[in-house]
Amino acid sequence: MEAIQFKGVTKNFKDGDATIEALKETDFSVNQGELVAVIGPSGSGKSTFLTIAGGLQTPTSGEVFINEESFSELSEKKRAKTRFKEIGFILQASNLVPFLTVQKQFSLVDQVNHQQNREFRDQLLNQLGIIELKNKYPEELSGGERQRVAIARALYNQPAIILADEPTASLDTERAFEVVDILAKETKEKNKATIMVTHDTRLIDKCDKVYIMKDGQLKAK
Ligand SMILES: Nc1ncnc2c1ncn2[C@@H]1O[C@H](COP(=O)(O)OP(=O)(O)OP(=O)(O)O)[C@@H](O)[C@H]1O
Ligand SMILES: [Mg+2]
């Protein structure tokens, strides 16, 4: 099944009198069980593409389908629900809550879902090598550690779709490969659809498809 589909999607930003075409007319799809990489230079439109895919921004024109349902036709309430239930975001800024410890970051997910799974949480923290940081606050962590907490939190909610924006940006090479391995494993074993935006072309071997973003134009590599 197509987890995400773009039909003729564009995104423009106004910059004074000028218009920035951050995303030119784009058709795209990713299926369940697929790990897709989007590479390309800074400012080319990768984050714009990813945030539209996850419904965090609306397109200027065209349509986005999530699990074969038109996202724009859902009410804002349903959209928010779909975003929370179906999509795990790993964004460029890790978006941890500053006044919560690492383990409390997961309680937020528990509250919404009315259930908790400490065993699974600790398994993820172990896999990502951050279990010993459980009681620390985000400000006490390095950039890479924060990023790994954000990854664990995104996976903890068991989303059908994972959207990761530079998930390996502040990690050393070994950790970066580990993170891609975890994403690949989650995608294959749990039949998720994953889009990973990255600058790092060394990481794309584990991906099923690679797209290049250049000046707002997405092309298959
Ligand atoms: N909210 C916004 N308002 C105005 N312009 C924007 C906005 N968001 C993005 N842009 C512009 O759209 C273009 C694409 O930006 P985007 O953040 O998608 O690039 P990117 O490929 O993710 O870059 P990076 O690799 O640096 O993260 C850039 O020219 C950027 O300045
Ligand atoms: Mg970006």
Side-chain angles (χ1 to χ4, degrees):
M1 183 170 86
E2 279 165 341
I4 298 182
Q5 192 181 16
F6 277 39
K7 284 190 187 163
V9 173
T10 71
K11 183 69 177 176
N12 297 338
F13 292 109
K14 282 263 175 273
D15 180 22
D17 289 340
T19 301
I20 300 168
E21 290 183 281
L23 190 64
K24 294 181 181 145
E25 193 165 323
T26 300
D27 295 314
F28 167 84
S29 66
V30 56
N31 293 323
Q32 286 182 316
E34 241 177 15
L35 172 60
V36 164
V38 177
I39 57 173
S42 185
S44 60
K46 304 183 299 296
S47 294
T48 302
F49 168 76
L50 202 72
T51 49
I52 289 176
L56 294 175
Q57 297 199 81
T58 50
T60 302
S61 61
E63 226 175 332
V64 177
F65 297 81
I66 308 256
N67 295 333
E68 300 181 346
E69 251 188 337
S70 171
F71 211 50
S72 56
E73 282 171 15
L74 299 178
S75 68
E76 183 46 48
K77 202 172 157 198
K78 266 205 120 182
R79 255 204 294 261
K81 197 169 166 205
T82 300
R83 263 198 305 262
F84 182 81
K85 281 255 172 248
E86 304 287 328
I87 303 174
F89 288 102
I90 304 162
L91 297 175
Q92 264 180 310
S94 61
N95 289 322
L96 300 180
V97 183
F99 52 84
L100 294 179
T101 62
V102 166
Q103 57 179 336
K104 288 276 193 257
Q105 306 279 336
F106 295 81
S107 312
L108 291 179
V109 179
D110 293 338
Q111 275 170 24
V112 179
N113 289 333
H114 307 292
Q115 58 179 46
Q116 59 177 22
N117 189 344
R118 296 227 163 107
E119 202 180 319
F120 182 49
R121 177 195 70 191
D122 288 351
Q123 185 193 326
L124 288 167
L125 292 175
N126 254 323
Q127 266 184 334
L128 288 152
I130 47 173
I131 187 87
E132 71 283 5
L133 305 177
K134 245 160 85 163
N135 294 313
K136 292 203 184 280
Y137 289 90
E139 65 173 16
E140 300 175 285
L141 308 177
S142 73
E145 289 166 346
R146 255 178 251 157
Q147 206 155 18
R148 279 180 278 154
V149 175
I151 292 167
R153 193 184 51 180
L155 299 180
Y156 178 64
N157 201 26
Q158 312 249 32
I161 296 166
I162 301 170
L163 303 178
D165 202 347
E166 303 273 6
T168 63
S170 36
L171 305 179
D172 60 41
T173 308
E174 201 183 325
R175 280 282 176 213
F177 278 107
E178 278 171 23
V179 163
V180 177
D181 277 339
I182 290 170
L183 290 178
K185 196 165 164 251
E186 283 285 314
T187 306
K188 297 299 157 194
E189 285 180 2
K190 297 180 186 161
N191 205 29
K192 296 173 190 294
T194 304
I195 307 176
M196 175 179 69
V197 164
T198 180
H199 272 104
D200 193 342
T201 50
R202 290 172 309 175
L203 300 174
I204 61 183
D205 289 348
K206 302 233 168 212
C207 299
D208 301 306
K209 283 185 192 153
V210 180
Y211 292 85
I212 303 174
M213 185 70 84
K214 202 170 163 246
D215 298 327
Q217 200 109 53
L218 191 71
K219 285 210 178 93
K221 187 176 152 82

